[in-house]
Amino acid sequence: MTDLPTSFDAATVQSIAAAARNVLNNNRQGAYTKPAPALYPHQWNWDAGFIALGYARSDFHQACSELTALFRGQWANGMLPQIVFSVQHVGKYFPGYFFWETRGVPEKPRNARTSGITMPPVHGFILNRLLSLAPDLKASRPFFRRMFDRVLLQHQYLYSYRDPEREGLAFICHPWESGMDNLPSWEEMFTQIQFDPSALPPYERRDLEHVDAPYRPRRQSYDRYIFLVDLLRKQRYREPEGWADYPFQVQEPMFNAILSNSNEALVELGRWLKCDTGRLQEWTAQTNQALNARLWDEKRSCYVSYDRVNRRHIPIVTAGGLIPLLCGAPNARQAAQMTALLKSPSFAGTTERPAWLCASTALDEPGFDPQRYWRGPVWVNMNWMLYHGLRRHGHAALADRVRADALELVRRFGFWEYYDPWKELSAGEAGGYGADRFSWTAALTLEWLGR
Ligand code: 2M8
């Protein structure tokens, strides 16, 4: 079992683990697990990866099933969709399958209902962790062999269609592709985009039926999300032609660091499977180099996004800018700068006003909002990646703190989608926000507890 935060005794671990397992079981829909009971009723891309880890030790078969179900939606060009829709929950989420108009797009598999964009490619490193936990390596070999090819194809897609100038950085075409949908960075991006509200297709949000408006994106952001989906569907998801005058193309550090780490993981997996890994090694080196050359911001001591349409950086400090610790890009000096930033008032707050690590948007950014989705709250999956990144670069004590903070939030408030980063809350503030009984919070808690 993993070494645990000292504040947790055996009985606490036992009861948190049992409650976490309950969350997953209740959100389970047979072959896959929904991210949340009502707000997210289908299968999501990177959620599936984190959720698989929550089953890995107790039900390895289900862990594999999560990934198999997700990759049923993979497009012929390798694109792994953000959502694989279930017929059972038609009409319960917006934008649903019919809004995306992916039906009939030649690349989409006929027997799966999917959206038309992708998400952070966590699946390579998730597979590698599953490999280390597999109860019977020989019996699981066909699964890993199949998945290796699928994930390789996914990376091939990113390096060809999303990196037209072969820079080593894949761009995202929608805030939803970042997984961190509502960062102030995208607001900044939107100021550059010509947008005509009267041309927007009519739509009705469903998220506000489940979560109060102050904790979700604002109307003006949703309008832009839908504006971009409308552009993509009008161009029938044609790549690369569609990108010629498409306005949202961002090289984001977390997305690319995850890609780099997944490349490395596939190299290890490929060695075990005796598959060729040469291309993966080249991709890793090129992406690490490009992360430093293009996205490292020396003044801010972290990585920042780059808008490749307007050829400018978006210098906003977010947790995503620290996730490159997960990969081999940062040298010892950069890693030390990032840990100093994490311990500074920008993330840790002050003695008078301490904060839980790690706010999704830095506490001192003008766009920071402690309770609004991705504008400041702590997310357990971000802490989980940061934990591994800090350990990789030799900052074990800070890694432990990042893990302890996440687990303490879970112990105090339950399995929320996100948490207020301020340690001292005012009267009436809840602590946890968004969806309750959120799957990846439960899954990564189990993973950390070694259950
Ligand atoms: C959130 O995103 C979806 C759109 O993909 C939404 O708000 O409707 C994000 O937090 C994303 O990272 C996550 O994968 C998804 C499901 O948990 O919810």
Side-chain angles (χ1 to χ4, degrees):
M1 196 195 283
T2 344
D3 49 324
L4 291 171
T6 46
S7 57
F8 283 19
D9 56 26
T12 308
V13 170
Q14 186 70 21
S15 82
I16 294 180
R21 199 158 325 289
N22 239 335
V23 169
L24 291 184
N25 288 339
N26 287 331
N27 289 342
R28 189 150 148 191
Q29 299 277 294
Y32 78 95
T33 303
K34 304 180 282 189
L39 181 63
Y40 306 120
H42 304 282
Q43 190 179 32
W44 259 261
N45 176 315
W46 70 335
D47 298 62
F50 297 125
I51 290 168
L53 293 183
Y55 288 112
R57 289 183 177 90
S58 60
D59 185 350
F60 194 74
H61 176 76
Q62 182 65 24
C64 299
S65 165
E66 298 285 335
L67 293 182
T68 304
L70 178 72
F71 276 82
R72 272 188 48 243
Q74 187 172 34
W75 288 22
N77 58 4
M79 201 277 290
L80 187 66
Q82 161 228 18
I83 305 176
V84 179
F85 293 99
S86 92
V87 180
Q88 206 182 333
H89 299 291
V90 172
K92 296 196 182 143
Y93 174 81
F94 178 82
Y97 172 55
F98 296 108
F99 190 88
W100 284 94
E101 294 180 0
T102 54
R103 188 158 174 243
V105 171
E107 303 285 355
K108 187 188 80 69
R110 287 238 185 105
N111 57 357
R113 296 179 160 201
T114 79
S115 69
I117 58 171
T118 189
M119 276 195 126
V122 297
H123 315 87
F125 67 72
I126 297 290
L127 266 188
N128 220 20
R129 289 192 82 76
L130 289 186
L131 181 67
S132 69
L133 296 169
D136 180 347
L137 278 179
K138 194 159 169 257
S140 316
R141 198 174 190 283
F143 165 78
F144 285 109
R145 185 70 190 79
R146 228 176 16 254
M147 291 306 301
F148 178 84
D149 291 343
R150 294 300 202 104
V151 180
L152 191 64
L153 185 65
Q154 175 197 14
H155 290 201
Q156 176 65 61
Y157 162 81
L158 294 172
Y159 282 108
S160 42
Y161 293 103
R162 299 306 187 88
D163 183 14
E165 290 171 49
R166 303 290 176 263
E167 295 173 292
L169 295 173
F171 71 80
I172 54 169
C173 69
H174 195 290
W176 287 339
E177 289 204 317
S178 73
M180 304 175 290
D181 311 0
N182 198 31
L183 291 181
S185 321
W186 314 142
E187 216 61 26
E188 172 63 28
M189 226 3 241
F190 289 147
T191 60
Q192 304 293 309
I193 298 180
Q194 295 293 333
F195 164 75
D196 171 11
S198 67
L200 207 60
Y203 74 93
E204 212 175 301
R205 287 173 69 168
R206 307 299 308 267
D207 57 325
L208 299 179
E209 293 166 21
H210 308 289
V211 177
D212 291 342
Y215 314 134
R216 287 288 299 176
R218 292 193 172 84
R219 162 83 198 269
Q220 56 267 37
S221 308
Y222 243 84
D223 279 354
R224 267 98 184 154
Y225 302 156
I226 297 310
F227 165 74
L228 292 175
V229 171
D230 195 39
L231 285 182
L232 290 165
R233 66 183 192 174
K234 278 188 185 131
Q235 59 195 42
R236 303 294 295 140
Y237 303 95
R238 265 191 297 273
E239 298 184 60
E241 310 87 294
W243 304 131
D245 48 13
Y246 183 82
F248 190 104
Q249 301 183 32
V250 178
Q251 293 167 330
E252 193 280 322
M254 179 180 82
F255 191 100
N256 284 286
I258 287 176
L259 178 59
S260 167
N261 187 297
S262 280
N263 282 329
E264 283 181 306
L266 282 193
V267 169
E268 279 185 40
L269 186 59
R271 283 196 184 123
W272 177 65
L273 292 166
K274 302 200 168 48
C275 296
D276 180 24
T277 60
R279 205 162 25 140
L280 287 158
Q281 297 186 48
E282 280 166 31
W283 284 339
T284 312
Q286 208 201 349
T287 297
N288 288 351
Q289 205 265 334
L291 271 161
N292 286 336
R294 164 75 49 88
L295 306 185
W296 174 251
D297 185 325
E298 181 65 22
K299 190 168 134 225
R300 291 178 178 75
S301 291
C302 65
Y303 293 83
V304 297
S305 287
Y306 181 78
D307 165 2
R308 72 183 290 276
V309 176
N310 300 295
R311 306 204 167 273
R312 54 171 207 139
H313 286 94
I314 309 172
I316 294 182
V317 179
T318 70
L322 301 170
I323 300 294
L325 284 163
L326 199 57
C327 72
N331 60 28
R333 185 186 54 81
Q334 289 169 302
Q337 277 178 252
M338 283 188 276
T339 58
L341 175 64
L342 197 52
K343 290 193 264 188
S344 80
S346 294
F347 283 102
T350 56
T351 324
E352 300 72 48
R353 204 166 182 217
W356 303 104
L357 294 178
C358 170
S360 39
T361 298
L363 309 171
D364 48 7
E365 279 293 347
F368 170 78
D369 180 338
Q371 291 160 8
R372 197 183 289 277
Y373 178 80
W374 293 110
R375 287 285 166 104
V378 176
W379 292 71
V380 170
N381 68 329
M382 301 299 281
N383 277 34
W384 188 85
M385 290 188 288
L386 208 46
Y387 168 82
H388 287 285
L390 288 164
R391 286 182 72 90
R392 172 179 187 147
H393 290 274
H395 297 276
L398 190 55
D400 285 349
R401 181 167 159 202
V402 164
R403 178 183 60 180
D405 280 12
L407 290 175
E408 181 57 17
L409 285 166
V410 166
R411 190 187 68 82
R412 284 193 196 183
F413 303 114
F415 301 96
W416 286 92
E417 190 180 1
Y418 40 93
Y419 303 86
D420 194 316
W422 295 122
K423 285 196 174 171
E424 275 141 44
L425 300 173
S426 312
E429 285 175 330
Y433 299 90
D436 189 5
R437 289 171 290 145
F438 190 65
S439 293
W440 83 39
T441 303
L444 296 174
T445 297
L446 284 166
E447 209 278 331
W448 260 329
L449 297 180
R451 295 305 175 95

